Amino acid sequence: MEEERHQRYARLRKMILGSMIGVPLVLFVIVLGIGYAYFTTSIETSTVSTLKRIVEDHRQMIDSFLSERTANLEFVIQSNSFEDLADPETLHTVFLNLQKESSAFVDLGVFNEEGTHVAYHGPFKLVGRNYGKESWWKEVLKKGCYISDVFLGYRRVPHFIIAVMRDQGGRKWVLRATIDTYLFNEMVKKVRIGKTGEAYLINADGHFQSERRSGGGLMDQDPDMSDYPDRHEGTRTFILKNHRGEEFLYATTWLGDKDWCLVVRQEKSDAFRALRAASYIIFLILVVGISGIIAIAYLLTNRIIRKMELMDTERELLGAQLIRATGLAELGEMAAGFAHEINNPLQIIRAEQSLMEAIFAEMREKGNLPETDDVKELDDSMAQIKLQVDRCAQITQAILKFGRKGEPISKEVDLRAFIPEVANMIAKKASVNGITLKEEISEETPAIQGDPAQLQQVLINLFNNALDALTEKHRSSGGELTVGARPKADGKVEIWVKDNGCGISPDNLGKIFSPFFTTKPVGKGTGLGLSVCYGIVDKMGGSMAVESEKGMGTTFSITLPAAV
């Protein structure tokens, strides 16, 4: 039987534990997964958008820089004639004015229609050199304005130029300026994104037009150029592995007036560092959440199983207590029957005793009964018989009243007489156990409206509980039981039963009126007494309370409405 119960609880524990772990865990993982997906998408979108904005802003800055320098040269060539600018002094003055506009101008040169350098202001000796076969010369004659790629030229130093052409009276001539490569390079490279973000320019052939911080000099071939998108409008973002296998987040855009591609890139791990940190946090939440779900599931499962085991135990105990309560009820009915049966012989004994007294009185009147010691003893015996018969009659009447069946009756009960009558029923038991019984009943105590039999049941139960507590603590001496009554100011009456017994622990005090709760050992109590008493008092329109201190004693208070 016990083994079968153990197996049943083991199966039940597994089922409850599986449900309490599985259902919340699945929901938790789904919610966390959806949240992670949305969060990841949000971070990725935000990161890519930020990179695109940076690229577009940087492209506009570079475009503006080149447009402004070109506009400076256009203004100079349109404001001066070929003869004016061919003069070294005039060219020097113009150059100084250009440098006031921008320090990016390194030198300035004037070319005739054959491509010969007729005037030059700068750090190199270039006057007299002919550029008629150079690609940049052909482009400027064809387009009227040209920004070159970075090249070496006669000076053998990487640089790029801006050249503008003017057709003056059928004669074409060109004004050319070299742009400060260092200044331009720093302007392009100044983008700072995280630890690894960098920006650089490449031309249509994939050669660097600005230096790359992670490696790549001017005019070097970009090893990753083949993976970049072809010329396109706007800005494109993508993730690629470079030639070393490192993943980068790229953003590319082409300049408006020049076949240069602006590339901004950042290592993927650096770009999505926030995402990685969020992933660690979410993983930690996942671990903590799963651990919490499992721990709580184990805790609640064990608590539920313990409650169920306790309920089964209480149900078994309840069954036993109900059987005992049924037995006690049957015993009470038998006691009432015995009392009824005993009452008849008592009446006969009382009648015979009365007859004997009448005979003795008649014999005394006739002088046939001398007043001897024996006759006096007979008189004493007759008086004792009468006394004990009356006492037995009182006891049987009390038993019959307590065990009476039928609907409750309601009538006025004079507590000043009723309480001593009930207390007298347990007086002998108290005396035998060395317990002092005290009565503190105020003369002003009003009557109450109720069922005397039910009120008697309440008081008898409280008396018996008090006697048990007193006997447990004091054994055969020192116990004190007090019953009292007094009026209250709100038109009610208070009855109390007080003892100096073992008291009730704080843990049990809140459960004292619960059905089937008892602190007595098995076989000593059903746990029904106080709950029944509470119900009786409640039906009579009153209330019941208890005050107790462990080891000091207990006081039960009954408050009932006074009879109108």
Side-chain angles (χ1 to χ4, degrees), residues 374-424:
D374 292 336
V375 172
K376 289 181 180 180
E377 287 183 6
L378 283 173
D379 286 337
D380 291 341
S381 296
M382 293 296 292
Q384 187 65 29
I385 289 172
K386 183 178 184 302
L387 177 65
Q388 297 303 323
V389 167
D390 289 342
R391 185 180 176 191
C392 287
Q394 291 177 356
I395 293 172
T396 55
Q397 287 300 319
I399 292 174
L400 287 171
K401 186 184 295 184
F402 186 77
R404 187 186 69 243
K405 295 182 179 179
E407 293 296 322
I409 62 173
S410 179
K411 66 178 184 179
E412 282 194 8
V413 180
D414 185 357
L415 297 178
R416 293 173 297 180
F418 180 78
I419 293 176
E421 180 183 335
V422 178
N424 190 52

Side-chain angles (χ1 to χ4, degrees), residues 148-325:
S148 73
D149 290 343
V150 176
F151 66 103
L152 294 177
Y154 288 116
R155 62 190 75 184
R156 312 310 297 171
V157 176
H159 65 287
F160 76 96
I161 57 93
I162 300 177
V164 294
M165 181 195 75
R166 179 181 178 186
D167 190 340
Q168 184 178 348
R171 183 179 62 177
K172 296 180 179 180
W173 58 284
V174 174
L175 179 66
R176 187 191 79 169
T178 302
I179 301 301
D180 188 336
T181 306
Y182 175 79
L183 186 148
F184 182 76
N185 199 50
E186 289 301 312
M187 180 183 69
V188 174
K189 290 197 306 181
K190 74 176 184 179
V191 170
R192 292 289 186 271
I193 310 172
K195 294 181 179 180
T196 59
E198 58 184 358
Y200 55 92
L201 290 168
I202 58 172
N203 62 13
D205 297 326
H207 293 95
F208 289 115
Q209 302 301 296
S210 66
E211 294 178 350
R212 188 171 67 182
R213 288 209 313 268
S214 61
L218 291 173
M219 301 180 65
D220 290 346
Q221 178 70 40
D222 184 355
D224 305 314
M225 173 61 185
S226 59
D227 296 324
Y228 298 164
D230 296 332
R231 185 177 179 88
H232 54 81
E233 296 295 328
T235 302
R236 288 188 183 178
T237 57
F238 51 91
I239 295 176
L240 281 178
K241 288 184 179 180
N242 66 3
H243 62 286
R244 292 194 294 268
E246 300 166 333
E247 277 194 309
F248 280 84
L249 173 63
Y250 285 88
T252 61
T253 185
W254 291 79
L255 301 187
D257 298 325
K258 181 62 182 167
D259 284 339
W260 285 351
C261 180
L262 174 62
V263 180
V264 177
R265 73 175 190 174
Q266 185 181 9
E267 287 185 11
K268 182 182 177 182
S269 59
D270 184 28
F272 297 112
R273 183 174 63 254
L275 181 60
R276 188 170 64 253
S279 299
Y280 293 150
I281 294 173
I282 290 175
F283 177 75
L284 180 62
I285 292 173
L286 182 65
V287 172
V288 172
I290 292 175
S291 302
I293 290 173
I294 294 174
I296 292 173
Y298 268 106
L299 180 65
L300 292 180
T301 300
N302 289 333
R303 183 172 294 179
I304 290 171
I305 294 299
R306 283 198 301 269
K307 288 286 185 182
M308 294 179 69
E309 290 176 342
L310 181 61
M311 289 174 63
D312 281 352
T313 303
E314 288 179 347
R315 186 171 65 249
E316 292 176 358
L317 182 60
L318 173 61
Q321 289 175 336
L322 286 175
I323 293 172
R324 177 169 174 77

Side-chain angles (χ1 to χ4, degrees), residues 363-556:
M363 290 178 67
R364 282 193 177 89
E365 288 179 1
K366 293 179 179 182
N368 296 330
L369 187 65
E371 295 295 330
T372 63
D373 291 341
D374 292 336
V375 172
K376 289 181 180 180
E377 287 183 6
L378 283 173
D379 286 337
D380 291 341
S381 296
M382 293 296 292
Q384 187 65 29
I385 289 172
K386 183 178 184 302
L387 177 65
Q388 297 303 323
V389 167
D390 289 342
R391 185 180 176 191
C392 287
Q394 291 177 356
I395 293 172
T396 55
Q397 287 300 319
I399 292 174
L400 287 171
K401 186 184 295 184
F402 186 77
R404 187 186 69 243
K405 295 182 179 179
E407 293 296 322
I409 62 173
S410 179
K411 66 178 184 179
E412 282 194 8
V413 180
D414 185 357
L415 297 178
R416 293 173 297 180
F418 180 78
I419 293 176
E421 180 183 335
V422 178
N424 190 52
M425 295 178 67
I426 55 94
K428 188 65 177 178
K429 181 178 179 181
S431 176
V432 169
N433 288 281
I435 297 170
T436 302
L437 180 60
K438 293 183 179 181
E439 296 178 5
E440 297 178 355
I441 304 171
S442 172
E443 289 298 326
E444 287 76 26
T445 304
I448 61 103
Q449 191 77 22
D451 186 344
Q454 290 188 345
L455 185 57
Q456 182 189 59
Q457 180 179 349
V458 172
L459 292 176
I460 288 293
N461 187 276
L462 295 179
F463 288 157
N464 285 331
N465 287 345
L467 291 176
D468 290 342
L470 290 167
T471 304
E472 180 181 344
K473 180 179 179 182
H474 299 284
R475 300 301 178 187
S476 59
S477 64
E480 189 173 291
L481 173 60
T482 304
V483 58
R486 63 188 174 193
K488 297 189 74 175
D490 53 359
K492 295 185 178 180
V493 181
E494 182 183 15
I495 305 171
W496 70 89
V497 178
K498 180 180 179 181
D499 67 71
N500 62 344
C502 56
I504 304 170
S505 68
D507 293 339
N508 294 330
L509 200 60
K511 301 179 285 185
I512 200 71
F513 294 114
S514 301
F516 301 105
F517 176 79
T518 180
T519 58
K520 297 177 181 179
V522 177
K524 294 293 184 180
T526 63
L528 292 170
L530 288 176
S531 64
V532 171
C533 291
Y534 190 91
I536 291 172
V537 173
D538 184 66
K539 286 181 180 179
M540 293 174 68
S543 61
M544 195 169 179
V546 59
E547 294 180 3
S548 183
E549 185 176 348
K550 186 69 175 175
M552 299 300 293
T554 303
T555 301
F556 281 92

